[in-house]
Amino acid sequence: MDFLKSLSIFGYESSYLIKGHANFDEPFKVLKAGEFLSFLYMTLHFFLRGTSSKKFVEYLNKNILLVFDQLLEEQKRRLLQAIVESSPYTSHESQEMILPPIVFLLEKCMPLKKADGEQMDFAYVEYLLYVYHHIVCNMSTNHQMSQTLTNRLETVKHLTKTTMKGKGAAKHKKEMAAAKYDKAMDDITWNNILTMTESLLIAL
């Protein structure tokens, strides 16, 4: 580990060492998701220092994000958290590569109809919106938002406002307790979602 850090600090390309540690040619196995996630967190240091994230993004797109539904709930959260934490340090090329699966997951996690709002996981939506917002707004990526995604953003904006006003709190109380959220974290999540949805809709 110290050797890898020294390579990164002195500006050498260490992606070949990362590739040797995690076999990107093997099909992803859900049972080994914990190992991959632990390794992904370890590599955040290298992305921060400028190591190429291309191999990781290719692997995420090909083997992990497509089977997102098969992961355990805790693994889903850890994966999305890792993507959020690494997104400011990944290259423009990597950002463009990961954009399509992020949009795909957003369309799965954000309801189209307001009546389906009680099924929405606010934490998942917050993570995905952060990455999407960062790519589209901060990286100046040439991306045309679909009408379906726009409609889902409008729905999420409405649901978030309703929940913040307390009208939808009763419906989500059980889910929030199960996820071990506290009120302070709820407020932060809802405010973040509202800010990002409004920003994205204004940018249309």
Side-chain angles (χ1 to χ4, degrees):
M1 183 65 179
D2 290 337
F3 176 61
L4 290 177
K5 287 182 179 179
S6 67
L7 285 178
S8 179
I9 290 172
F10 286 101
Y12 290 94
E13 178 59 62
S14 58
S15 61
Y16 72 97
L17 290 170
I18 294 176
K19 181 180 178 182
H21 186 87
N23 191 344
F24 292 103
D25 296 323
E26 286 188 358
F28 177 72
K29 297 179 181 178
V30 174
L31 291 177
K32 292 189 176 182
E35 295 177 15
F36 180 83
L37 289 171
S38 296
F39 184 67
L40 180 56
Y41 273 104
M42 185 183 78
T43 61
L44 293 179
H45 168 83
F46 303 114
F47 296 158
L48 175 62
R49 297 289 183 174
T51 296
S52 173
S53 58
K54 183 178 179 180
K55 278 290 181 182
F56 260 105
V57 173
E58 288 177 346
Y59 190 81
L60 281 169
N61 286 357
K62 182 180 178 181
N63 295 293
I64 299 182
L65 293 178
L66 292 180
V67 295
F68 183 78
D69 289 341
Q70 298 179 36
L71 300 178
L72 301 175
E73 292 303 309
E74 179 60 25
Q75 292 173 338
K76 291 178 182 179
R77 293 182 189 279
R78 288 182 60 200
L79 174 62
L80 293 178
Q81 286 174 339
I83 293 175
V84 165
E85 291 178 26
S86 63
S87 61
Y89 312 115
T90 51
S91 67
H92 186 88
E93 179 185 17
S94 295
Q95 296 280 7
E96 290 188 328
M97 287 171 59
I98 204 172
L99 182 58
I102 291 297
V103 171
F104 173 75
L105 288 178
L106 267 175
E107 292 186 344
K108 290 188 66 175
C109 293
M110 296 194 304
L112 186 59
K113 299 178 181 179
K114 297 172 184 176
D116 298 329
E118 61 185 82
Q119 305 298 325
M120 185 175 73
D121 188 308
F122 282 94
Y124 290 174
V125 172
E126 180 189 16
Y127 294 142
L128 291 166
L129 275 178
Y130 176 88
V131 178
Y132 181 76
H133 185 274
H134 175 77
I135 296 173
V136 174
C137 296
N138 297 339
M139 297 290 289
S140 301
T141 303
N142 185 20
H143 169 68
Q144 184 66 41
M145 192 184 302
S146 68
Q147 186 60 49
T148 299
L149 185 58
T150 301
N151 292 341
R152 291 180 187 276
L153 284 171
E154 290 281 7
T155 299
V156 168
K157 176 183 174 181
H158 170 82
L159 291 170
T160 304
K161 283 186 173 181
T162 300
T163 304
M164 291 175 72
K165 290 178 181 178
K167 294 179 180 179
K171 291 183 179 180
H172 295 287
K173 186 176 181 180
K174 184 177 180 180
E175 289 84 352
M176 295 298 183
K180 298 181 180 179
Y181 290 146
D182 57 37
K183 188 178 185 303
M185 289 304 296
D186 292 344
D187 291 341
I188 292 173
T189 296
W190 295 330
N191 278 308
N192 286 344
I193 291 174
L194 187 59
T195 299
M196 289 185 287
T197 52
E198 290 180 339
S199 174
L200 288 166
L201 290 169
I202 289 173
L204 289 176

